[in-house]
Structure formats: structure tokens, C-alpha cells
Amino acid sequence: MTTENTDLRTTEATRTGAPTAEDVPLDLEGGQWKWRLGTLATGILIFALWELLPRAGLISPIVLPPFTDTMAALYTLVTSDFFMGHFLVTLNEIFWGFLIGTTIGLVVGIVLGVFEPLKRLTYPFVVAFQAIPKIVLAPLFIAWFGYGQTSKIVMAIAIGFFPVLINTMVGLETVPNDMIQLMRSLKASKMQIFRKVSLPSASPLMFAGIKTALTFALIGAIVGEFVGAAEGLGFLLDTYNFQLRIDRVFSVIIILSLIGGVFYFVLEWLDKKLIFWRQDV
Amino acid sequence: MILELDSVAKTYRTKGRGDVEALRPVQLPIPEGSFVSLVGPSGCGKTTLLNIVAGLLPPTAGRVLFEGQPLAGPSRDMGIMFQRAVLLPWRTVEKNVMLPAEVFGQEPSSMQERVAETLEMVGLTDFSNALPQHLSGGMQQRVALARVLAYRPKVLLMDEPFGALDEFTREAMNVELLRLTRPAGITVVFVTHNISEAVFLSHKVVVMSPRPGRVTGVIDVPFDDPREIDVMRQQTFTELVFEVRELLNKEESRSGVPAEVEGA
């Protein structure tokens, strides 16, 4: 049977990870390392401009402090005795905001996704809530929950839970119908269909929502601190900005980016581990 | 008769356009161990009929008798295959074949042997730990076939299972399907729009027509079993294909709508 043979051949190739013609990404001569080198060069160019433009007087150092000055400010800031306190406060707010927001999003998303009538009843309000630019809630949350960390955590939750909720719902809605039919033909219980088919089938979208929630939680915590706080990196940034210590402002921005980056990297890694069958990336 | 369709009909109620007759009453006995094809163009109600037999869709009139008993909902003695393989992409080939046993609440360890045996039968032993996405379309359907054969249903219901495969793979799958179901005495109800495939596989070809969906004729296929692909070279084969075609065309000229059926 010749058919059998071609079948086996193509599959063998993909299975052992040997690249087939379609798998190889656009290779513009020279392979990966040349691209890496190019990226590195671009980075160096950006930092060089950052250093040289203010030094040459083309941009005022008050607007953009030179790169080396910023790095020096970053070092001074990080080694100062008050830094760790602010850092941990914001980290704490992001962490709990993200964790609670994601949990609420998952639980509510699953409940609404499973109980159709409940979804119909509440969906208009969920959408209406999403239509609110959440930043306007920050003063309200501070009035309700005070100047401390709670109001910032609530803010992070308010922004972060929504993408998880929506993605969970959509994920559960878009389970391929023939998978459900297959399970029905086996006389599977509703719980079996949910656990063995619906939930895993929705999980790639759910995880995409969780990644968005992380970015949102960071924004929530910082915005909360901008509006009213006595501690945290957002508070620190606002204070330095007010004092026109722009090198310090940049330092805080760099630290916040690093926090976001590390969190995101961890989630990305988890995504690859948990959603190992995902093909669309 | 393992299955008996007793005046089975389906009508859909729609808003504004009144009732749509998807399937006019069908009377059809299906003997145990036989292979019955439902052939016809889109909209002739063949998939509707199959889903009714599967217990996935309630008929609006009539009833299906399975081993003499009226059918109410799906039965674990019947297995279904769709046009898509419908494998769960997060499960390995082996775990996919294991799915029905899990749903039935059987001990996984007791199933292991049978699953391995079935994978061997469909020639996929080397791929038991592969993910479905790494398999070709033909192999994916083979996994789907193994999944349904592993729990040994008495009846196999197939809804254009090889419709998405290329001609060569489809032919190979047809030969394999006969090899796997005939000696085991499994009754097969097979939906297709490919006439020669239907004639090659079946003991009985049920010809259906659309608008409204109905059975317009049943043709018996007299070939002996086991069948090999060279059955297609026989004069009788060509004549039977022609006969089915004729029956479809007659309906086509009557309704004035061309039937979209792949010929031989």
C-alpha cells in the first residue's frame, strides 16, 4: 500500500522534529545568530542615542537624562535604604491583584459559561462594567478602602479580572461541536464533558486572558498609587516627577518594566508547559 | 434485524417560513453484520438520519428499534465517526483511544491491552505516544477508528468519515475498514456522497434525495466478501454505480435542481 508509506514518511519527519518545508521560518540567509547580532546592534544604537543626544545638547538633560546618568541614578535608588520598602509594597499589590483578579475571572467565567441562563441575565451588566474606563474608579476605591495597599489591590483586580472572564466564557462557548457530540454519543455525563473536553479546549484562551490580566494588574496598582498613596513605586515615581528628578523617574520606570517582564516570562514559560498542544503561535 | 427504522421522520419548525421537512418517513431494516450506505447530495437528510440512529437527534415521528427495543438517546453499543477525526489535541494517540473507556468508568489498566491491540490493528503502534497534530489526516482518522473499535460497538455509524481525505488515502481506508469490521460482524451505517465508495463497501446502498429529504431507492450489492479493490474492475460494479447514478439523476430532473454528487 503506497498510501500507507507516504503517510508514515511525512509523520515520521514531523514527529522526530525534523523540519519539513512548511515548518522552516523565513530564513533571510545566514540563520539565527545573525539576527541576534542585529538585534543587539539595534539595542546598542538606541542606548548610544540616549547617551549622546542629551550630552550633545540636542535634548535637554532635564527632559532626557543621559543613559549613564540614568544608570547611576538607578544604582543609587536601588541601593538606598528606603527602596526595598516601596518595591515590596508594589510587588505585593500586583501579586495579590493579579491572583485574586484571575481567580474571580476564572470562577465567574466558568459559572457564566456553564449556566447559559445566568449568562444571559448578567452579560449586559458585565459589558457595561467593562465600558467604564476603570481609572475613574481609582478615587472611589481610595475613598472606600483607604490610602493603603487594599485600594490598589482592588484597583488591580477591577482591571485584571475582565480579560480572564471574557476569554474563559468565549473559550467555553467555542468548544468544537463535534467534540461535544462525540462525548454525547458515549453517554458522557455533563461533568465528564466539562472536565475532559470543555475545560481543556478552553484553556488556551483562558491562559491568554491570564497573561493580559498580569499587565492590567500592574497598571492597576500603579494608577492606584498615582491617585493616592504614601508608599510604593507609583508613589515614588509621582514624587520624583513632581521634583523634576527625571533620572530617578526613569529608574523607577525601568524597575517597573523589569517586574512586568519577569512576571510575563514566568507566565509564558508556564503557558508553553501547560498548553503544550497550542499550534497557533 | 439489529436496527429497524420505523417511519422515522424529522421536521424542523422555523420562524416565519413554516415547517421544513428535513426527512420524510423512512422505513429501513438493517440486518446484523451488514454494511448500509446512505448516498445523496447535500440536504438529502442523510446526516440527519444518521444522527437520529445515533440517538443524538430525536425524530419528530416514528422510532428506531435497536435490537428490538425503541431507542431513547445514545447507546454504548453504537459508535460514531465524523468527517473530522475529532481527536482531543491535548491527548496522545493512546490516550485518545482510551477516552471511551474512561467515560464508561472502566479501569484504565484493564483497557491498556485492548487499546494496544486496537492500535496494532490500525497500524499505529509506533505512534501511540504522538500528539494528533503530528499525524496526517489519514492517520488521524485511523486513530478515530481505533477509538471507536476499541470499545467493540455492535453498530458503527460513520458520517462521511473519509470525505476530507485524498482519493488514494480514502481508498486505502476503505479497504482497511472492510478488513476491520466485516470479520468482526460489526454492522455499519455509512454516510457518503461518493457513489463508487458506497457500492464498493456496502451490501445495501440507500439512495436519498433532497427537498424534501427522502429515500428514493435501495440497491442491493451482490459482491462476495471479503472484497478487494479489484471488485471495481468488474462489469457489475460499473453497472451498479450507473444504476445509483440513474436513480439520483431521475430525482434531479424531477426537482430541477442539479444533485451535487461525486461520480465514479
Side-chain angles (χ1 to χ4, degrees):
Chain A
M1 253 191 286
T2 44
T3 336
E4 180 106 27
N5 286 337
T6 44
D7 255 355
L8 285 171
R9 212 164 352 115
T10 45
T11 323
E12 201 85 73
T14 33
R15 199 172 64 104
T16 51
T20 58
E22 304 98 280
D23 285 344
V24 180
L26 188 63
D27 181 65
L28 304 172
E29 296 295 310
Q32 280 294 312
W33 66 272
K34 272 196 180 168
W35 284 101
R36 294 225 175 100
L37 219 63
T39 311
L40 190 69
T42 313
I44 289 171
L45 182 72
I46 290 169
F47 289 125
L49 285 174
W50 184 354
E51 179 69 24
L52 293 175
L53 289 178
R55 290 247 183 264
L58 290 168
I59 296 177
S60 162
I62 295 171
V63 175
L64 182 70
F67 177 66
T68 45
D69 289 3
T70 308
M71 286 300 121
L74 179 64
Y75 180 77
T76 324
L77 177 68
V78 172
T79 49
S80 68
D81 48 359
F82 59 87
F83 172 76
M84 214 18 126
H86 293 290
F87 178 77
L88 289 178
V89 162
T90 303
L91 210 61
N92 196 46
E93 291 161 0
I94 295 170
F95 178 78
W96 287 108
F98 167 68
L99 203 71
I100 299 171
T102 298
T103 310
I104 294 177
L106 285 176
V107 170
V108 177
I110 288 174
V111 168
L112 295 189
V114 171
F115 301 108
E116 180 71 26
L118 207 58
K119 180 165 76 186
R120 288 195 154 193
L121 286 176
T122 55
Y123 198 58
F125 303 103
V126 174
V127 174
F129 180 75
Q130 179 54 14
I132 305 171
K134 243 74 69 212
I135 290 173
V136 304
L137 296 177
L140 192 63
F141 287 156
I142 285 166
W144 285 351
F145 301 104
Y147 246 55
Q149 293 183 29
T150 316
S151 54
K152 284 79 197 174
I153 293 174
V154 172
M155 189 68 200
I157 295 170
I159 309 187
F161 90 98
F162 201 76
V164 182
L165 167 68
I166 285 293
N167 278 25
T168 303
M169 249 169 55
V170 172
L172 290 174
E173 261 167 31
T174 51
V175 178
N177 188 46
D178 42 15
M179 283 190 189
I180 308 267
Q181 291 289 76
L182 174 78
M183 290 300 276
R184 282 188 56 211
S185 82
L186 296 171
K187 293 181 88 168
S189 67
K190 283 204 165 135
M191 194 59 195
Q192 283 177 322
I193 296 180
F194 178 74
R195 279 190 26 226
K196 291 185 193 298
V197 171
S198 304
L199 201 60
S201 169
S203 60
L205 258 184
M206 287 159 99
F207 216 92
I210 291 174
K211 282 196 269 186
T212 313
L214 176 72
T215 319
F216 282 19
L218 204 143
I219 294 172
I222 301 300
V223 166
E225 288 179 2
F226 279 176
V227 173
E231 49 182 358
L233 292 174
F235 161 77
L236 215 55
L237 193 147
D238 200 35
T239 309
Y240 287 139
N241 203 42
F242 184 70
Q243 298 170 349
L244 271 183
R245 293 166 79 178
I246 303 300
D247 53 348
R248 290 275 175 115
V249 172
F250 271 103
S251 308
V252 178
I253 292 174
I254 291 169
I255 288 158
L256 287 171
S257 312
L258 286 177
I259 293 175
V262 167
F263 270 132
Y264 195 83
F265 184 80
V266 171
L267 282 186
E268 197 69 35
W269 177 82
L270 257 180
D271 188 9
K272 285 221 175 75
K273 285 276 166 224
L274 293 175
I275 321 288
F276 54 88
W277 68 90
R278 195 204 291 273
Q279 277 181 303
D280 52 3
V281 242
Chain B
M1 296 299 128
I2 188 161
L3 273 170
E4 190 135 23
L5 312 195
D6 180 15
S7 315
V8 170
K10 184 77 187 174
T11 307
Y12 287 104
R13 291 190 182 283
T14 58
K15 265 187 231 157
R17 290 185 299 132
D19 293 352
V20 174
E21 224 178 346
L23 190 66
R24 282 211 174 148
V26 174
Q27 203 69 38
L28 184 72
I30 299 174
E32 184 157 9
S34 69
F35 196 117
V36 176
S37 287
L38 310 176
V39 188
S42 330
C44 72
K46 53 192 195 295
T47 294
T48 304
L49 187 56
L50 194 80
N51 283 333
I52 291 174
V53 176
L56 293 171
L57 193 69
T60 24
R63 54 189 189 154
V64 177
L65 295 174
F66 178 52
E67 297 186 308
Q69 299 297 315
L71 193 73
S75 159
R76 286 178 178 172
D77 283 324
M78 291 199 246
I80 192 161
M81 263 182 86
F82 305 94
Q83 180 158 7
R84 276 182 358 115
V86 201
L87 303 176
L88 306 183
W90 51 88
R91 282 173 174 248
T92 60
V93 166
E94 188 184 25
K95 286 272 157 58
N96 264 290
V97 176
M98 203 78 100
L99 178 76
E102 270 178 44
V103 171
F104 299 166
Q106 283 158 352
E107 203 49 51
S109 53
S110 71
M111 279 303 291
Q112 219 107 45
E113 205 171 315
R114 189 185 283 189
V115 166
E117 203 176 284
T118 316
L119 282 174
E120 168 104 57
M121 274 184 350
V122 298
L124 285 174
T125 306
D126 291 346
F127 297 90
S128 40
N129 291 319
L131 285 177
Q133 65 197 30
H134 295 143
L135 303 182
S136 68
M139 297 186 95
Q140 292 190 10
Q141 276 301 10
R142 242 175 250 225
V143 179
L145 188 58
R147 176 177 60 198
V148 74
L149 290 177
Y151 68 92
R152 303 198 178 146
K154 294 176 181 162
V155 177
L156 184 51
L157 307 169
M158 309 178 89
D159 189 2
E160 299 192 39
F162 311 135
L165 304 180
D166 64 79
E167 195 61 32
F168 309 107
T169 312
R170 179 204 287 243
E171 233 165 56
M173 288 299 289
N174 281 338
V175 173
E176 201 137 322
L177 179 63
L178 289 186
R179 179 176 68 80
L180 293 168
T181 55
R182 284 276 216 279
I186 299 173
T187 311
V188 184
V189 183
F190 189 92
V191 165
T192 180
H193 53 244
N194 187 308
I195 302 173
S196 50
E197 178 178 71
V199 172
F200 172 68
L201 293 169
S202 314
H203 297 116
K204 222 189 262 188
V205 177
V206 178
V207 181
M208 298 181 72
S209 288
R211 285 170 285 267
R214 66 203 185 280
V215 172
T216 47
V218 179
I219 291 170
D220 287 307
V221 182
F223 299 126
D224 290 335
D225 292 319
R227 294 177 193 179
E228 286 301 332
I229 207 80
D230 53 15
V231 160
M232 293 188 171
R233 267 195 296 207
Q234 292 182 28
Q235 171 105 37
T236 334
F237 184 85
T238 323
E239 276 164 15
L240 283 168
V241 168
F242 194 75
E243 201 179 323
V244 175
R245 192 146 253 270
E246 217 45 343
L247 207 52
L248 285 161
N249 284 343
K250 206 164 66 194
E251 291 305 319
E252 176 193 327
S253 54
R254 233 188 50 171
S255 60
V257 190
E260 309 138 24
V261 176
E262 285 171 26

mmCIF file of all heavy atoms in Angstrom, chain A residues 114-130:
data_model
loop_
_atom_site.group_PDB
_atom_site.id
_atom_site.type_symbol
_atom_site.label_atom_id
_atom_site.label_comp_id
_atom_site.label_asym_id
_atom_site.label_seq_id
_atom_site.Cartn_x
_atom_site.Cartn_y
_atom_site.Cartn_z
ATOM 1 N N VAL A 114 -21.010 27.988 31.946
ATOM 2 C CA VAL A 114 -21.698 26.712 32.109
ATOM 3 C C VAL A 114 -23.213 26.904 32.231
ATOM 4 O O VAL A 114 -23.990 26.156 31.672
ATOM 5 C CB VAL A 114 -21.134 25.952 33.338
ATOM 6 C CG1 VAL A 114 -21.989 24.742 33.655
ATOM 7 C CG2 VAL A 114 -19.694 25.526 33.071
ATOM 8 N N PHE A 115 -23.604 27.957 32.966
ATOM 9 C CA PHE A 115 -25.042 28.194 33.146
ATOM 10 C C PHE A 115 -25.516 29.287 32.199
ATOM 11 O O PHE A 115 -25.464 30.473 32.506
ATOM 12 C CB PHE A 115 -25.361 28.557 34.593
ATOM 13 C CG PHE A 115 -24.951 27.485 35.559
ATOM 14 C CD1 PHE A 115 -23.859 27.665 36.409
ATOM 15 C CD2 PHE A 115 -25.648 26.274 35.615
ATOM 16 C CE1 PHE A 115 -23.476 26.667 37.296
ATOM 17 C CE2 PHE A 115 -25.264 25.279 36.492
ATOM 18 C CZ PHE A 115 -24.175 25.471 37.333
ATOM 19 N N GLU A 116 -25.990 28.842 31.058
ATOM 20 C CA GLU A 116 -26.427 29.741 29.999
ATOM 21 C C GLU A 116 -27.414 30.828 30.474
ATOM 22 O O GLU A 116 -27.229 32.001 30.154
ATOM 23 C CB GLU A 116 -27.017 28.899 28.861
ATOM 24 C CG GLU A 116 -27.531 29.665 27.670
ATOM 25 C CD GLU A 116 -26.430 30.283 26.819
ATOM 26 O OE1 GLU A 116 -25.310 29.745 26.838
ATOM 27 O OE2 GLU A 116 -26.711 31.296 26.154
ATOM 28 N N PRO A 117 -28.457 30.467 31.243
ATOM 29 C CA PRO A 117 -29.424 31.491 31.647
ATOM 30 C C PRO A 117 -28.775 32.610 32.460
ATOM 31 O O PRO A 117 -29.073 33.787 32.275
ATOM 32 C CB PRO A 117 -30.430 30.724 32.514
ATOM 33 C CG PRO A 117 -30.231 29.296 32.177
ATOM 34 C CD PRO A 117 -28.815 29.148 31.754
ATOM 35 N N LEU A 118 -27.858 32.208 33.342
ATOM 36 C CA LEU A 118 -27.177 33.186 34.182
ATOM 37 C C LEU A 118 -26.379 34.155 33.316
ATOM 38 O O LEU A 118 -26.314 35.358 33.582
ATOM 39 C CB LEU A 118 -26.243 32.440 35.139
ATOM 40 C CG LEU A 118 -25.953 33.138 36.464
ATOM 41 C CD1 LEU A 118 -27.239 33.405 37.199
ATOM 42 C CD2 LEU A 118 -25.009 32.292 37.298
ATOM 43 N N LYS A 119 -25.787 33.627 32.260
ATOM 44 C CA LYS A 119 -25.004 34.475 31.364
ATOM 45 C C LYS A 119 -25.903 35.506 30.692
ATOM 46 O O LYS A 119 -25.585 36.679 30.634
ATOM 47 C CB LYS A 119 -24.312 33.608 30.301
ATOM 48 C CG LYS A 119 -23.480 34.432 29.331
ATOM 49 C CD LYS A 119 -22.526 33.578 28.535
ATOM 50 C CE LYS A 119 -23.229 32.832 27.446
ATOM 51 N NZ LYS A 119 -22.330 31.894 26.768
ATOM 52 N N ARG A 120 -27.062 35.038 30.230
ATOM 53 C CA ARG A 120 -27.997 35.953 29.564
ATOM 54 C C ARG A 120 -28.443 37.067 30.497
ATOM 55 O O ARG A 120 -28.599 38.206 30.083
ATOM 56 C CB ARG A 120 -29.228 35.183 29.090
ATOM 57 C CG ARG A 120 -28.928 34.284 27.918
ATOM 58 C CD ARG A 120 -30.220 33.874 27.295
ATOM 59 N NE ARG A 120 -30.034 33.543 25.896
ATOM 60 C CZ ARG A 120 -31.034 33.388 25.041
ATOM 61 N NH1 ARG A 120 -32.262 33.569 25.435
ATOM 62 N NH2 ARG A 120 -30.805 33.083 23.799
ATOM 63 N N LEU A 121 -28.660 36.710 31.764
ATOM 64 C CA LEU A 121 -29.137 37.698 32.728
ATOM 65 C C LEU A 121 -28.068 38.743 33.034
ATOM 66 O O LEU A 121 -28.369 39.918 33.172
ATOM 67 C CB LEU A 121 -29.564 37.011 34.027
ATOM 68 C CG LEU A 121 -30.887 36.245 33.989
ATOM 69 C CD1 LEU A 121 -31.124 35.545 35.320
ATOM 70 C CD2 LEU A 121 -32.039 37.211 33.702
ATOM 71 N N THR A 122 -26.830 38.288 33.173
ATOM 72 C CA THR A 122 -25.814 39.197 33.701
ATOM 73 C C THR A 122 -24.923 39.820 32.631
ATOM 74 O O THR A 122 -24.253 40.817 32.897
ATOM 75 C CB THR A 122 -24.896 38.447 34.690
ATOM 76 O OG1 THR A 122 -24.364 37.312 34.018
ATOM 77 C CG2 THR A 122 -25.663 38.016 35.921
ATOM 78 N N TYR A 123 -24.917 39.237 31.448
ATOM 79 C CA TYR A 123 -23.948 39.698 30.446
ATOM 80 C C TYR A 123 -24.020 41.195 30.150
ATOM 81 O O TYR A 123 -22.984 41.852 30.067
ATOM 82 C CB TYR A 123 -24.098 38.881 29.157
ATOM 83 C CG TYR A 123 -22.891 38.987 28.262
ATOM 84 C CD1 TYR A 123 -21.630 38.612 28.727
ATOM 85 C CD2 TYR A 123 -22.994 39.497 26.973
ATOM 86 C CE1 TYR A 123 -20.524 38.729 27.933
ATOM 87 C CE2 TYR A 123 -21.879 39.617 26.166
ATOM 88 C CZ TYR A 123 -20.650 39.233 26.654
ATOM 89 O OH TYR A 123 -19.541 39.348 25.862
ATOM 90 N N PRO A 124 -25.233 41.787 30.003
ATOM 91 C CA PRO A 124 -25.297 43.226 29.726
ATOM 92 C C PRO A 124 -24.570 44.058 30.791
ATOM 93 O O PRO A 124 -23.911 45.043 30.470
ATOM 94 C CB PRO A 124 -26.794 43.527 29.748
ATOM 95 C CG PRO A 124 -27.452 42.236 29.476
ATOM 96 C CD PRO A 124 -26.566 41.180 30.036
ATOM 97 N N PHE A 125 -24.668 43.605 32.052
ATOM 98 C CA PHE A 125 -24.035 44.368 33.129
ATOM 99 C C PHE A 125 -22.522 44.186 33.109
ATOM 100 O O PHE A 125 -21.769 45.107 33.415
ATOM 101 C CB PHE A 125 -24.622 43.942 34.475
ATOM 102 C CG PHE A 125 -26.116 44.117 34.514
ATOM 103 C CD1 PHE A 125 -26.966 43.030 34.378
ATOM 104 C CD2 PHE A 125 -26.678 45.387 34.638
ATOM 105 C CE1 PHE A 125 -28.338 43.197 34.368
ATOM 106 C CE2 PHE A 125 -28.045 45.564 34.635
ATOM 107 C CZ PHE A 125 -28.885 44.461 34.502
ATOM 108 N N VAL A 126 -22.100 42.998 32.758
ATOM 109 C CA VAL A 126 -20.664 42.743 32.650
ATOM 110 C C VAL A 126 -20.071 43.659 31.580
ATOM 111 O O VAL A 126 -19.040 44.294 31.783
ATOM 112 C CB VAL A 126 -20.401 41.262 32.285
ATOM 113 C CG1 VAL A 126 -18.922 41.025 32.040
ATOM 114 C CG2 VAL A 126 -20.910 40.352 33.387
ATOM 115 N N VAL A 127 -20.765 43.747 30.434
ATOM 116 C CA VAL A 127 -20.285 44.603 29.352
ATOM 117 C C VAL A 127 -20.315 46.069 29.777
ATOM 118 O O VAL A 127 -19.372 46.826 29.517
ATOM 119 C CB VAL A 127 -21.138 44.395 28.076
ATOM 120 C CG1 VAL A 127 -20.744 45.386 27.005
ATOM 121 C CG2 VAL A 127 -20.965 42.974 27.560
ATOM 122 N N ALA A 128 -21.387 46.456 30.467
ATOM 123 C CA ALA A 128 -21.494 47.840 30.926
ATOM 124 C C ALA A 128 -20.340 48.186 31.853
ATOM 125 O O ALA A 128 -19.743 49.260 31.750
ATOM 126 C CB ALA A 128 -22.831 48.048 31.647
ATOM 127 N N PHE A 129 -19.989 47.233 32.742
ATOM 128 C CA PHE A 129 -18.872 47.473 33.653
ATOM 129 C C PHE A 129 -17.581 47.645 32.876
ATOM 130 O O PHE A 129 -16.753 48.503 33.190
ATOM 131 C CB PHE A 129 -18.740 46.316 34.644
ATOM 132 C CG PHE A 129 -17.596 46.503 35.605
ATOM 133 C CD1 PHE A 129 -17.704 47.400 36.654
ATOM 134 C CD2 PHE A 129 -16.403 45.804 35.435
ATOM 135 C CE1 PHE A 129 -16.647 47.585 37.523
ATOM 136 C CE2 PHE A 129 -15.342 45.989 36.306
ATOM 137 C CZ PHE A 129 -15.470 46.878 37.354
ATOM 138 N N GLN A 130 -17.440 46.834 31.824
ATOM 139 C CA GLN A 130 -16.227 46.921 31.034
ATOM 140 C C GLN A 130 -16.132 48.268 30.316
ATOM 141 O O GLN A 130 -15.053 48.769 30.041
ATOM 142 C CB GLN A 130 -16.165 45.752 30.031
ATOM 143 C CG GLN A 130 -14.954 45.729 29.122
ATOM 144 C CD GLN A 130 -13.653 45.778 29.897
ATOM 145 O OE1 GLN A 130 -13.623 45.573 31.104
ATOM 146 N NE2 GLN A 130 -12.575 46.089 29.206
#
